[in-house]
Amino acid sequence: MMTKPAPKYRAPALDKGLDILELLASAHKPLSIVEISEGVGRSRGEIFRMLQVLEERDYLARAEGDGGYCITPRLFRLAMEQPPVKSAIEATLPVMHRLAETTEQACHLVVPSRDQIVVIARADPPGEIALVVRIGHRRPMSQATSGHVLLAFQDEQMREHWLDIIASQEADLDRKKLTRQLAQVRSQGYACARSHVVDAVTDISAPVLHHGRAVCALTVPFIEQRASAQTRQRTVESLCKATTEISDILQYGVVTQRR
């Protein structure tokens, strides 16, 4: 068994700060000082001042009342400023806006973040009725239609690795059932399921592929409208066409105007 090589340099204060951020990023609720202390394996005295500094720098925030600490969107905003990410969003937004106009539905782009999905871009439709998901929104990957798409379109080794991470966070995960669902999504090329959050909404999601692997997923929270001629099937077709176009853009750097 290979052992992890010892780090060449140590920066104890930085280690503590990163341990805290990584713990809170994977948490599904605000954590108290006691929970953070136990989670990073350090005493309350060691982490108290670090929490104060991270809060002052807007990396952490206090939940209402005495609900503990939670991570803020600051790291997310910094990541969005990275040239590759920023360029990808700028390249895909025109396609997303055309999709929203064609389908008369909102759409949003998500990427994986450990055991969760996070929304990095969105396009609103021209009409007044739509379900709009805010940028920065997170959900457990196993509980999101777009998360199923991200998992389904990976090679087996990567998919099993992600499932291991998810299982470590969700004790009641039915891994066999989820694996069957992923096989079905991969077979049909997209996912279509009732929203896990909002009644009367059907989440339709398709992968944006790079060398055959899903790097992100484009999702339409579909709401059937009596005054619209757009059907769920037409929306599926428009969505798959849009993700193919975005995949081409990311692969070749060429924006094609498809009509």
Side-chain angles (χ1 to χ4, degrees):
M1 181 176 178
M2 293 182 64
T3 57
K4 188 176 180 181
K8 188 175 182 180
Y9 302 105
R10 302 299 307 185
L14 180 58
D15 279 341
K16 280 188 283 189
L18 292 175
D19 286 344
I20 292 169
L21 290 174
E22 290 174 358
L23 174 68
L24 289 172
S26 63
H28 301 304
K29 64 179 182 65
L31 300 181
S32 67
I33 293 180
V34 173
E35 290 171 320
I36 295 172
S37 173
E38 293 175 351
V40 299
R42 298 177 184 271
S43 70
R44 292 179 60 179
E46 284 184 280
I47 67 169
F48 178 76
R49 293 176 67 181
M50 185 64 66
L51 290 171
Q52 301 302 307
V53 173
L54 290 171
E55 185 178 4
E56 289 173 4
R57 295 291 295 270
D58 192 34
Y59 288 98
L60 301 184
R62 298 280 188 97
E64 292 184 8
D66 192 25
Y69 290 87
C70 57
I71 200 164
T72 71
R74 181 169 173 79
L75 283 173
F76 175 76
R77 292 194 297 267
L78 291 175
M80 291 302 98
E81 290 300 315
Q82 290 295 303
V85 177
K86 197 170 184 178
S87 297
I89 293 174
E90 290 172 349
T92 56
L93 275 175
V95 182
M96 292 175 63
H97 283 298
R98 291 199 298 273
L99 176 64
E101 184 174 352
T102 299
T103 62
E104 301 174 13
Q105 306 279 340
C107 63
H108 55 268
L109 194 69
V110 309
V111 295
S113 177
R114 281 187 57 82
D115 63 316
Q116 300 182 335
I117 57 97
V118 58
V119 176
I120 64 169
R122 81 177 196 211
D124 301 344
E128 297 180 354
I129 300 175
L131 176 64
V132 176
V133 182
R134 65 175 174 81
I135 294 174
H137 171 73
R138 288 176 174 267
R139 276 191 64 74
M141 194 179 295
S142 64
Q143 301 172 26
T145 305
S146 54
H148 288 188
V149 167
L150 290 171
L151 283 164
F153 291 89
Q154 303 295 329
D155 60 56
E156 185 176 358
Q157 183 177 1
M158 180 59 72
R159 181 164 52 254
E160 291 303 313
H161 173 65
W162 283 4
L163 288 172
D164 287 342
I165 295 174
I166 293 169
S168 71
Q169 299 295 323
E170 300 180 33
D172 59 346
L173 177 72
D174 188 336
R175 188 161 177 162
K176 290 184 178 179
K177 179 180 178 181
L178 178 56
T179 300
R180 289 195 298 269
Q181 292 173 330
L182 299 180
Q184 182 179 356
V185 169
R186 190 175 183 92
S187 175
Q188 68 184 10
Y190 64 91
C192 184
R194 292 180 60 185
S195 170
H196 292 76
V197 181
V198 182
D199 291 337
V201 171
T202 301
D203 287 332
I204 307 170
S205 185
V208 173
L209 301 173
H210 186 61
H211 298 304
R213 181 174 65 86
V215 292
C216 49
L218 184 58
T219 301
V220 174
F222 180 83
I223 301 175
E224 190 169 351
Q225 303 178 41
R226 293 178 182 175
S228 174
Q230 286 298 318
T231 63
R232 186 185 305 177
Q233 185 55 40
R234 287 182 179 177
T235 300
V236 168
E237 293 168 359
S238 296
L239 172 64
C240 291
K241 180 179 178 182
T243 52
T244 298
E245 183 172 356
I246 295 173
S247 297
D248 288 346
I249 293 170
L250 296 182
Q251 180 93 10
Y252 305 110
V254 177
V255 180
T256 56
Q257 295 293 331
R258 300 187 181 188
R259 301 183 184 279

